[in-house]
Amino acid sequence: KAGVTQTPRYLIKTRGQQVTLSCSPISGHRSVSWYQQTPGQGLQFLFEYFSETQRNKGNFPGRFSGRQFSNSRSEMNVSTLELGDSALYLCASSLTGTSTDTQYFGPGTRLTVL
Amino acid sequence: AQSVTQLDSQVPVFEEAPVELRCNYSSSVSVYLFWYVQYPNQGLQLLLKYLSGSTLVKGINGFEAEFNKSQTSFHLRKPSVHISDTAEYFCAVRQQNNAGNMLTFGGGTRLMVKP
């Protein structure tokens, strides 16, 4: 069974632009979560989607948004990019999205903002 | 709210030596505990998790961890490390009985295995 895939793997943008990242979960998984990883702040939770509904949201500004489609694939969007948005963005999927469930992570999208 | 502290940012160790990576957590509610490993340019891979039952949990690649409720700790151990264990290790917690599976991570510990 294929793992979590994220596209693109690398991305370079300039300040003020917007960006869309894509995540395809493991087949059959219904929960998708997004995390931001930076050297300074570490791993921080962005949001979680389950059956096309946002279930939890981390402490990030409204420039960060996401959505989930009926096939469980998810996208996250960052508008008006800032230098501080440079990070590795990780997507994780789980089968049921319950608190005992294991999350499987993708390889991430490395975003560089110039 | 929960928080996770990994006491060592870097741990250098010689090959075939034992290692312990320390993790302490703080939470006002009951949590589940996880250890993940991240190899360079890769995502996170689950090593092991504690949900309930025996406080000694065995994971993949010869790692194990012990949950200590009184000390709110979940330290990761391996009796003999290999060069291939060089990676960054993350301890994480998740609130029990929560609608959702959000993880709160520690800052990570870089394990450097030297020949």
Side-chain angles (χ1 to χ4, degrees):
Chain A
K1 189 181 271 191
V4 177
T5 58
Q6 292 186 245
T7 56
R9 291 291 312 276
Y10 302 90
L11 206 48
I12 300 175
K13 292 285 188 179
T14 56
R15 280 181 298 172
Q17 288 187 310
Q18 75 165 19
V19 68
T20 299
L21 312 182
S22 180
C23 171
S24 293
I26 293 172
S27 178
H29 284 197
R30 297 171 64 193
S31 168
V32 173
S33 297
W34 289 88
Y35 294 84
Q36 182 196 63
Q37 185 176 23
T38 60
Q41 300 297 318
L43 278 155
Q44 294 186 286
F45 171 77
L46 279 157
F47 25 65
E48 180 200 356
Y49 287 88
F50 182 80
S51 293
E52 301 180 67
T53 300
Q54 186 180 89
R55 191 157 62 174
N56 287 297
K57 189 177 191 306
N59 189 26
F60 278 81
R63 300 185 297 105
F64 291 81
S65 63
R67 58 178 175 168
Q68 185 181 34
F69 302 96
S70 58
N71 62 357
S72 293
R73 189 177 70 85
S74 177
E75 289 180 347
M76 67 163 281
N77 184 77
V78 188
S79 63
T80 319
L81 284 166
E82 301 176 0
L83 295 179
D85 298 333
S86 294
L88 181 67
Y89 290 89
L90 293 165
C91 167
S93 75
S94 68
L95 187 63
T96 63
T98 60
S99 57
T100 58
D101 211 4
T102 295
Q103 284 184 303
Y104 296 87
F105 283 79
T109 294
R110 184 163 297 280
L111 171 65
T112 301
V113 182
L114 303 176
Chain B
Q2 305 90 43
S3 67
V4 180
T5 302
Q6 292 184 242
L7 297 157
D8 306 297
S9 59
Q10 294 186 69
V11 173
V13 63
F14 286 105
E15 194 174 18
E16 297 184 8
V19 70
E20 178 179 82
L21 305 184
R22 297 181 293 169
C23 171
N24 286 87
Y25 69 93
S26 173
S27 177
S28 56
V29 298
S30 296
V31 296
Y32 298 125
L33 298 138
F34 304 79
W35 274 99
Y36 280 86
V37 61
Q38 186 177 33
Y39 298 103
N41 298 316
Q42 294 187 30
L44 303 174
Q45 179 183 10
L46 181 69
L47 280 175
L48 47 80
K49 62 183 179 182
Y50 174 77
L51 301 180
S52 65
S54 171
T55 57
L56 184 63
V57 182
K58 294 193 183 298
I60 63 171
N61 301 341
F63 284 93
E64 62 181 32
E66 185 153 22
F67 170 56
N68 188 316
K69 188 173 183 179
S70 62
Q71 296 186 5
T72 59
S73 68
F74 190 53
H75 300 334
L76 181 71
R77 301 186 188 103
K78 186 169 182 177
S80 175
V81 295
H82 304 289
I83 295 287
S84 59
D85 292 323
T86 295
E88 188 140 23
Y89 293 79
F90 293 93
C91 180
V93 301
R94 179 187 291 151
Q95 186 177 331
Q96 293 185 20
N97 304 320
N98 185 36
N101 54 12
M102 179 187 86
L103 289 165
T104 300
F105 286 92
T109 297
R110 188 172 300 277
L111 176 63
M112 299 174 293
V113 181
K114 300 179 286 187

